[in-house]
Amino acid sequence: MTSPASQFTTDAGRVAPDLRHRGIIQAAMGKYETVRDQRKKWFQDWEGARNLAARTKFEAVNHLDRYLEEFVSKLEARGTKVHWASTSAQAREIIFSILREKDAKVVVKSKAMTSEEIHLNAAMAEAGYEVVESDLGEFIVQLREEAPYHLVFPAMHLTRGDIKETFEDKLHITSSDNPEDLTMVARRVLREKYLQADVGITGANFAVAETGMISITENEGNARLTAALPKTMITLVGIEKVLPRITDLALFLPMLAVMGTGQALTCYNTMYGGPRQADEADGPEEFHVVLLDNHRTSLLADAEQRDALGCIRCGACLNVCPIFKNIGGHTYSTTYGGPIGSVITPHLRGLTQWKHLSDASSLCGACTETCPVKIDLHHHLLQNRRNGAKLKPSLFQKTAFKLFAPVANVRVLWSLTTQLSRIGMKVRGLVNGSIIDPAHAWTKTRELPPIAPQSFREWWKERQ
Amino acid sequence: MNERENIFKRIREALKAPAHSLAGGLPTVAEQRGVMPAVSSEHEAQMALFHANSAELRAHIVLVADMRDLETKMAALRDEEGWKKVAAHVGDLSITTAQSLGLPVLITHPGFDKEELATCDAGITECDALVAQTGSVLVTSRSAGGRALSCLPPHHVIIARREQLVADLPTAFEQLVQKYGGNYPSMISFITGPSRTGDIERILVLGAHGPKHLTIFMV
Ligand code: SF4
């Protein structure tokens, strides 16, 4: 098996020059950027809103034990069953035991990145359950047996033509390639499933401690149906999702919408605080909440990067990231892509195997600048680089810096080296870009910047 | 093996290392309002904003003078869309209006058959509040006849009273806290326009899974 690092390099090398991919992503991002910027202006003080959001998350994450306890005791008081999973395997086992108990056959799911994280679909399919993703984008990528491309837009990399073909191949349904017709195909197919499903599985965007509710943000209504029709509802949620108070949502819901999709508010923002209550017309008989750690506590233990637990998975940092836009979402091969994924994956899955992700950044800081909860993303990437180097310094880097240090520290050696390099560059110029160019790795795709004809010291001397 | 204990142990252990501090604590509602989109305190202006937001969201607002007017205008909608069956819940406004249509009415209380609800042309509900700031309708499983009624039928019809309009999201949340106190309905939802998706080439399509049409009658 290839290592994640070499798979990453290969896929990045393949996707980056793919003009079709680039065209699709640029078109989608272009539409998003325009509306997002309009909505940010709609706020009286967007920067102020980011500060408030960061403060709220800081409070929640740094008192996680307290808020989590409150959340759980409120939930349990209304008849919800709460389960705890330290690992992916435990979370899957909890869900399986519920499915067995309910003798479930058909399971309908609404979008949940946590379920991607624990590879739930594959495990359920293997165990013989019929699992249907109900979010349109997720439904499409599930049919194609692909991972979601993006946190918020799972099928962003596909054109209407691709989707039409997928429906023909997998569902044997012919439709025009009009997005409306395609959406209606999915609506019809999924309606059937909703009515058959024994169990509904959802994720959650927020967990409100004060009232013991989970909050789900969505546009399609698929999560609402998932939470309304099946007899049993299971919500899989990361322990870090807590918000202290229900009124905090007044700020977080519109901020998530603005950054996620450029809407003022996402179509449905729904809070669930329990199973069907005595005086209610419908809703599940049982409501299970599975709280997932899966290494979130290791991220919590890293005080330097703890703020990354405040992430609301809006996807905004992916959308501004020059690396993400060039190499695409699938290249990462992680549950969470883009800058936030590169920051947290080494914590969730191990630094040794995933430290290459922190190199996949130009450190431009666009992610940090855009993040609604002000996670210091690009500095965390640097910290991961540092931690990675400490863990297992590469021999090449070690030697290079050993040689570099004396040269940079001794002035005579430094000026000698610069002068020699100028001559060296002239000679190299003759073979620029060819195989025998010593800087070939760089120059095969771009220009090598020239060394300045004069150093500052020389320039200063001349002026004296 | 008690994972709850294990997780709490790890959390408490992890939090022993203090993070770089971020001053300020939890924001107040006044601070929230100070940064969020501004909304006038005048009722007329709020009404205008609600109209404008609804238009952008492609939700329809119908102003009605009284119950008779409501019934007439609802009947017009029935004819226009050729409804054959509707669903409603037990509420002052919703049930009488639904029954005035002269069609079979499925009533969701105290329980109902979901297959039957799926055959209804419209779900008629009341609501808890209307939010001017975002054009949202706030419903709960108590005010809107459960969870599915406002989501499964292709047309969601809301009957609201004008005084249910509130300025902004913070007010809507405060109202929820006051109204329900400790005893919240099991579902609370802010509905902002008809169901939609942009999953195919970011092109807006209405009626992805939920209602394709959202009509708000304001009495
Ligand atoms: S890190 Fe920030 S910008 Fe990125 S997905 Fe999370 S909240 Fe959004």
Side-chain angles (χ1 to χ4, degrees), chain A residues 44 78 86 187 224 282 306, chain B residues 3 36 147 150 184 210:
Chain A
Q44 291 175 74
R78 314 274 317 277
S86 288
R187 180 182 168 112
R224 288 196 58 203
D282 61 353
R306 185 177 292 162
Chain B
E3 288 313 322
M36 289 178 66
R147 301 188 183 193
S150 54
Y184 289 98

Side-chain angles (χ1 to χ4, degrees), chain A residues 151 259 308 310-318 339-340 367 370-375 377:
Chain A
L151 286 180
M259 294 318 272
C311 172
I312 57 172
R313 309 271 187 258
C314 69
C317 59
L318 282 61
I340 183 64
C367 46
T370 203
C371 175
V373 291
K374 297 189 83 162
I375 299 170
L377 291 158

Side-chain angles (χ1 to χ4, degrees), chain A residues 141-445:
Chain A
V141 295
Q142 187 194 24
L143 287 177
R144 296 173 61 94
E145 292 166 46
E146 287 176 358
Y149 181 90
H150 183 286
L151 286 180
V152 177
F153 315 125
M156 180 184 220
H157 59 303
L158 301 172
T159 62
R160 56 183 89 187
D162 299 332
I163 295 165
K164 170 179 143 65
E165 271 174 33
T166 303
F167 284 179
E168 274 164 16
D169 286 357
K170 307 281 177 172
L171 300 172
H172 312 293
I173 297 178
T174 5
S175 143
S176 79
D177 66 358
N178 177 321
E180 173 140 21
D181 292 345
L182 291 168
T183 305
M184 291 312 134
V185 168
R187 180 182 168 112
R188 272 200 308 278
V189 172
L190 288 165
R191 261 302 153 101
E192 291 291 303
K193 298 294 169 199
Y194 274 119
L195 297 170
Q196 291 166 10
D198 313 294
V199 174
I201 300 183
T202 80
N205 297 84
F206 304 101
V208 184
E210 179 191 34
T211 56
M213 291 173 188
I214 57 138
S215 172
I216 303 180
T217 294
E218 51 143 356
N219 267 314
E220 298 179 2
N222 59 310
R224 288 196 58 203
L225 292 175
T226 307
L229 301 175
K231 279 202 170 136
T232 306
M233 169 176 175
I234 306 176
T235 297
L236 176 64
V237 56
I239 51 170
E240 83 287 14
K241 287 271 175 257
V242 286
L243 277 183
R245 307 164 302 184
I246 191 170
T247 46
D248 292 322
L249 291 173
L251 181 70
F252 276 92
L253 299 180
M255 286 185 81
L256 173 58
V258 169
M259 294 318 272
T261 51
Q263 287 169 280
L265 205 57
T266 316
C267 192
Y268 301 109
N269 285 285
T270 314
M271 286 131 261
Y272 298 98
R276 174 182 186 177
Q277 304 290 299
D279 56 346
E280 292 176 348
D282 61 353
E285 286 162 12
E286 280 182 30
F287 180 33
H288 297 263
V289 169
V290 183
L291 285 161
L292 178 69
D293 178 351
N294 201 23
H295 303 292
R296 282 162 175 79
T297 42
S298 4
L299 182 51
L300 188 71
D302 184 342
E304 206 173 38
Q305 299 190 32
R306 185 177 292 162
D307 63 347
L309 285 174
C311 172
I312 57 172
R313 309 271 187 258
C314 69
C317 59
L318 282 61
N319 303 342
V320 296
C321 179
I323 309 294
F324 181 90
K325 286 192 257 195
N326 275 290
I327 67 172
H330 286 147
T331 300
Y332 291 86
S333 288
T334 55
T335 309
Y336 308 101
I340 183 64
S342 301
V343 168
I344 64 175
T345 306
H347 294 269
L348 301 181
R349 294 196 191 172
L351 184 59
T352 323
Q353 290 272 303
W354 298 94
K355 64 180 192 294
H356 62 280
L357 293 178
S358 38
D359 293 326
S361 162
S362 60
L363 299 178
C364 63
C367 46
T368 307
E369 212 170 288
T370 203
C371 175
V373 291
K374 297 189 83 162
I375 299 170
D376 199 357
L377 291 158
H378 72 292
H379 284 112
H380 295 340
L381 290 173
L382 269 177
Q383 289 150 2
N384 279 347
R385 284 189 193 178
R386 178 200 62 203
N387 299 347
K390 265 196 211 149
L391 198 70
K392 188 171 171 274
S394 95
L395 188 64
F396 171 74
Q397 278 180 10
K398 240 178 21 195
T399 333
F401 279 105
K402 276 233 171 77
L403 290 174
F404 177 75
V407 176
N409 281 323
V410 181
R411 186 193 299 161
V412 208
L413 275 181
W414 180 255
S415 10
L416 190 70
T417 317
T418 1
Q419 268 157 33
L420 283 175
S421 312
R422 276 186 207 124
I423 301 168
M425 285 294 277
K426 281 210 185 93
V427 181
R428 193 205 56 83
L430 301 174
V431 293
N432 188 20
S434 72
I435 291 270
I436 54 166
D437 183 349
H440 179 69
W442 178 277
T443 52
K444 70 179 170 191
T445 51

